[in-house]
Each structure stands twice: as C-alpha cells, then as structure tokens.
Amino acid sequence: MRLFDQKFGADFLAGVPTQPGVYRLYDEAGALLYVGKAGDLRRRLGQYRTAGRKKRERKRRALVKAAASITWEVCESALTATLTEIRLIQTLRPPRNVTSAFPFLYPFLGIHVENCETYFCLTTSPAAFPAFDLHGSFRSREVTAEAFFSLMRLLHFVGHPVPRHRCRRFAVAPHSSVLGFRRVPTETADGWRRLLRGESRAALEALALELIEHDGARARAAEIREDLLAIDRFFQDEARALARAIAATGYSGYPVAQRERDLLFATYREASA
C-alpha cells in the first residue's frame, strides 16, 4: 500500500474537489508544515500520492512522510489560489516553504542628489532611507548587490568618493550600504534612475564609453567588462522584468512594496499565460 494511502486513507482523494484552491499539510502536533496551491486540487494532491524516488519528486515524498493531515480550501480561480498561497506563506511562514516566505529581504536601490554629490543606496530597509528615490523591490539580492557594487567600482574611475562618515549620516541599517561620489555630473542621476526603473540603459552605455577613455580603466579591462556585464544583467533580469510586470498589470504603486512583489508577478504571469 502507498504511504499516502496508509496515512490519509485509500478514499482520501475521492473527497477532494477538482476546483482551484490552496492546501495545507500539518504534522502530528498540528503544526503547519507547508502551503501549496493548485488549479485542480484533486490532481495536485494525487501527485503526492504517486510521488516516487525520482529527484523531482523527493520534496513531495518527504512532505507525505512528515505530514499527519491535509486540509484545503476552494478558490474562485487559479489566480486567486496563487495569491492566497503567497499571502498565507508570507503570514504564516511554514517551515517547508521557501519561495515567497522572506519578502522582507527583497532589496531596493536608491539615488539621492545633494549639491554636487550623488549618493547611491542598497537596502532591504526602505523606511530607513527616506531621502532616497528608491527603486524596486527586486527579487534577487545576489544579482542586485552585484550590480550595485559593480557600479560603485566603476564610478571610482570617473568620480571622487564621498568620505564614509558622510554616507553614514543618512542611516545605518542591516543589509544596507550607502556610497557617494563628487564630480559625477548630477544630471547623470536621471539616467541611472531610468536604468533602475528598467526604462533605458543609456547611462550604462555612456559610462562604458567614458571608461574607454580612462587609462586606469583600460588597464583593468577584464574587470571593467565583468562589472559592466553585472549591471546589464541586473537591468535585464530585475529592472526590466519589474517594469514589464508593472506595465502589464497596471500596478499603480512605485516602488513596489516587498510584500507586494510576488503578488504582482503572480498576477503578471496569469495575465501573460
């Protein structure tokens, strides 16, 4: 007899509706283990019943082994099920869910111009940096941070760093960095804002041309190329992706709140299907 049938009964699936919905798995103590969504609840839970030992099925088999009970609730559509799943994961943080469980770690990038100084900010604590024009939130901390520090390294060739103590006066917050530069034309800030909004990478192209004329940058051509590619990767994978989702869904808030980002993209994927 299958493990699923042993634990939940051979007739369990017969009582599960074929409508969209969300389901929850609990352990023997009644603690929530996992939240999932389905366009067809019976079909999805049936996949847990037939889960084998193949790599792609290990997660389902492990959940069946750990679970003592399963509940579900019907939703009016697959999109409603997806949005409900995200909200439940964000609120309840089941230990077996990773995706959507930590939206507070989604980063923002910001720009602030003050007199002849331009400041750049990377943060997961947007409320701590009210002086900055923030952009995001973005999904990947790795891609976003790599682009941020790549840009900071490149701007060292064309500007003069502001002392760190002057950068720290804005705020000090976990997972946050602020760096500033003098002698970077303040009008270029608009170009960087457009890049962060996923509208144009003209600022990046202009910086690349400026670096070609810089002796120090030419001497480190391989490193410069990697930094330029990191910024372009962020533009394509994060900034433009967010811009497309906002345009397709008519989302009116910007920057996108961390808890709203996954909900926005779920709506976008449904609209694009």
Side-chain angles (χ1 to χ4, degrees):
M1 179 180 285
R2 295 179 183 274
L3 178 62
F4 186 96
D5 294 340
Q6 291 175 10
K7 303 192 79 168
F8 309 115
D11 298 328
F12 178 85
L13 290 176
V16 179
T18 58
Q19 297 163 275
V22 295
Y23 58 92
R24 311 187 198 195
L25 279 69
Y26 297 86
D27 65 16
E28 290 184 353
L32 182 64
L33 289 173
Y34 183 81
V35 173
K37 56 98 172 43
D40 181 324
L41 283 164
R42 184 183 299 175
R43 181 182 302 166
R44 176 57 56 83
L45 291 176
Q47 292 173 343
Y48 284 85
R49 180 178 182 270
T50 58
R53 299 186 180 278
K54 294 180 180 179
K55 185 175 181 180
R56 67 175 181 273
E57 298 175 333
R58 288 177 185 170
K59 180 178 179 179
R60 291 194 188 110
R61 184 172 177 83
L63 282 169
V64 170
K65 186 175 181 180
S69 63
I70 303 174
T71 66
W72 65 82
E73 59 185 273
V74 172
C75 297
E76 64 182 19
S77 68
L79 175 58
T80 302
T82 298
L83 299 180
T84 301
E85 177 203 36
I86 292 171
R87 291 189 181 101
L88 287 171
I89 292 171
Q90 290 180 348
T91 302
L92 303 176
R93 293 188 198 168
R96 297 296 181 96
N97 287 98
V98 176
T99 302
S100 299
F102 305 102
F104 55 87
L105 292 177
Y106 292 166
F108 295 84
L109 293 177
I111 297 176
H112 173 68
V113 176
E114 187 176 277
N115 298 322
C116 296
E117 299 172 345
T118 302
Y119 293 86
F120 297 84
C121 169
L122 165 69
T123 186
T124 57
S125 303
F129 296 91
F132 283 78
D133 179 17
L134 294 174
H135 302 267
S137 59
F138 302 110
R139 173 75 182 209
S140 173
R141 290 176 63 196
E142 180 181 358
V143 170
T144 304
E146 184 180 28
F148 175 81
F149 290 110
S150 290
L151 178 58
M152 297 303 98
R153 286 191 291 269
L154 296 179
L155 290 179
H156 272 79
F157 290 102
V158 298
H160 293 264
V162 174
R164 288 298 181 97
H165 74 274
R166 285 184 50 77
C167 296
R168 286 194 295 269
R169 65 193 166 89
F170 290 103
V172 176
H175 310 295
S176 302
S177 295
V178 175
L179 293 171
F181 295 89
R182 300 189 186 98
R183 298 187 184 179
V184 173
T186 54
E187 61 268 20
T188 63
D190 286 336
W192 293 117
R193 289 189 182 97
R194 295 193 67 199
L195 183 142
L196 297 181
R197 290 184 73 106
E199 297 172 353
S200 169
R201 57 181 175 190
L204 180 62
E205 294 167 358
L207 178 60
L209 291 174
E210 190 172 0
L211 292 171
I212 290 174
E213 304 301 323
H214 193 289
D215 291 340
R218 287 202 303 272
R220 304 172 66 176
E223 297 172 30
I224 298 299
R225 180 177 181 276
E226 289 302 313
D227 284 337
L228 291 170
L229 288 174
I231 300 168
D232 187 62
R233 181 163 53 251
F234 161 81
F235 176 74
Q236 297 290 349
D237 295 350
E238 294 289 337
R240 284 194 68 184
L242 183 58
R244 285 194 295 265
I246 290 171
T249 60
Y251 187 85
S252 58
Y254 193 85
V256 178
Q258 291 158 311
R259 289 179 63 88
E260 293 294 317
R261 190 193 182 283
D262 287 343
L263 298 169
L264 168 64
F265 271 81
T267 304
Y268 171 54
R269 285 191 293 269
E270 182 70 16
S272 304

